[in-house]
């Protein structure tokens, strides 16, 4: 008989199984990314229905139910982020953040920083501060930083073929704006809670998008379905 485990987490994804059940993917602070079956969550008046929705953040009581899986016993919701589902663009960006966080996290590995990053990212998307496309780039860089996969030199090298310190001022502006380098360094050095306390003009934002897109492809080989939704929107 397995004991119940209480974890803090955010629901990254949901899918329907059988007639009344749901399969959840939850990012948790101490268990990492886990698969949780919410049996009966689709039944009328089920106590699990509200907590078995995408973007919900709360305290989940789960019980190991097999190899690499858990059953949802109960949940206490802290924030639903339902507003993300009311706007197609915001929902797509939030879904992409969930997909990317799910890609880089694993079961059994603490994901406290990733969970906190996802939380402040949802808040930023809802507030549209800074602009949503800029939030995407900052999220990508900071997530890679948390995973130990990003540094200023590595990001700049992937885009220019040179280390940041080797870009002299005369040739610098032709390949990469100094302001963009400073923003990358800002994102890497900030605490998660302070990550979105900045904004930039369109030129720097577009350059940052190109750089992060190119660098992310060196660290990740998956196509994310949420980006297909974004294509006609941007």
């Amino acid at each position: 008989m397995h004991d119940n485990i209480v974890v803090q987490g955010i629901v990254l994804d949901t899918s329907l199984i059988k007639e009344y059940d749901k399969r959840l993917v939850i990012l948790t602070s101490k268990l990492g990314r886990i698969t949780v079956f919410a049996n009966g969550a689709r039944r009328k008046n089920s106590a699990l229905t509200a907590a078995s929705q995408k973007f919900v953040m709360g305290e989940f009581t789960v019980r190991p139910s097999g190899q690499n899986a858990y059953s949802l016993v109960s949940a206490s919701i802290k924030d639903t982020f339902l507003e993300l589902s009311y706007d197609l663009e915001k929902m797509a960006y939030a879904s992409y953040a969930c997909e990317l966080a799910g890609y880089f996290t694993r079961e059994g590995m603490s994901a406290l920083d990733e969970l906190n990053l996802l939380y402040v990212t949802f808040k930023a998307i809802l507030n549209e501060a800074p602009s949503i496309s800029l939030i995407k780039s900052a999220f990508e860089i900071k997530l890679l930083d948390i995973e130990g996969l990003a540094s200023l030199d590595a990001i700049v090298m992937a885009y220019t073929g040179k280390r940041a310190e080797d870009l002299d001022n005369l040739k610098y502006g032709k390949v990469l704006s100094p302001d963009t380098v400073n923003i990358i360094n800002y994102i890497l050095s900030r605490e998660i809670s302070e990550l979105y306390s900045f904004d930039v003009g369109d030129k720097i934002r577009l350059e940052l998008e190109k750089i992060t897109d190119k660098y992310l492809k060196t660290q990740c080989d998956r196509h994310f379905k949420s980006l297909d939704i974004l294509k006609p929107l941007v």
Side-chain angles (χ1 to χ4, degrees), residues 53-70:
Q53 309 296 323
K54 193 171 181 178
F55 308 138
V56 165
M57 180 177 187
E59 187 175 82
F60 300 87
T61 300
V62 299
R63 180 184 300 125
S65 60
Q67 186 176 10
N68 301 321
Y70 298 81

Side-chain angles (χ1 to χ4, degrees), residues 78-89:
K78 292 190 173 180
D79 205 328
T80 62
F81 293 105
L82 284 178
E83 299 95 328
L84 291 171
S85 300
Y86 301 158
D87 182 288
L88 183 59
E89 184 181 29

Side-chain angles (χ1 to χ4, degrees), residues 153-169:
D153 273 345
I155 295 170
V156 171
M157 177 73 74
Y159 191 71
T160 67
K162 297 181 179 181
R163 296 181 304 169
E165 62 186 41
D166 292 334
L167 297 174
D168 63 82
N169 290 329

Side-chain angles (χ1 to χ4, degrees), residues 148-208:
L149 298 173
S151 68
L152 182 61
D153 273 345
I155 295 170
V156 171
M157 177 73 74
Y159 191 71
T160 67
K162 297 181 179 181
R163 296 181 304 169
E165 62 186 41
D166 292 334
L167 297 174
D168 63 82
N169 290 329
L170 292 176
K171 299 178 181 179
Y172 203 53
K174 295 181 179 180
V175 291
L176 191 60
S177 164
D179 289 337
T180 302
V181 175
N182 290 336
I183 287 297
I184 294 171
N185 196 41
Y186 174 94
I187 294 169
L188 291 170
S189 62
R190 284 295 170 185
E191 296 291 333
I192 293 171
S193 61
E194 303 173 336
L195 179 60
Y196 298 113
S197 301
F198 76 103
D199 207 346
V200 297
D202 288 343
K203 180 180 179 181
I204 302 303
R205 176 180 58 80
L206 291 172
E207 191 169 57
L208 187 63

Side-chain angles (χ1 to χ4, degrees), residues 125-142:
I125 291 173
L126 285 174
N127 295 329
E128 297 185 61
S131 64
I132 298 182
S133 59
L134 183 56
I135 292 170
K136 174 180 177 288
S137 297
F139 175 82
E140 291 167 337
I141 292 173
K142 197 62 180 180

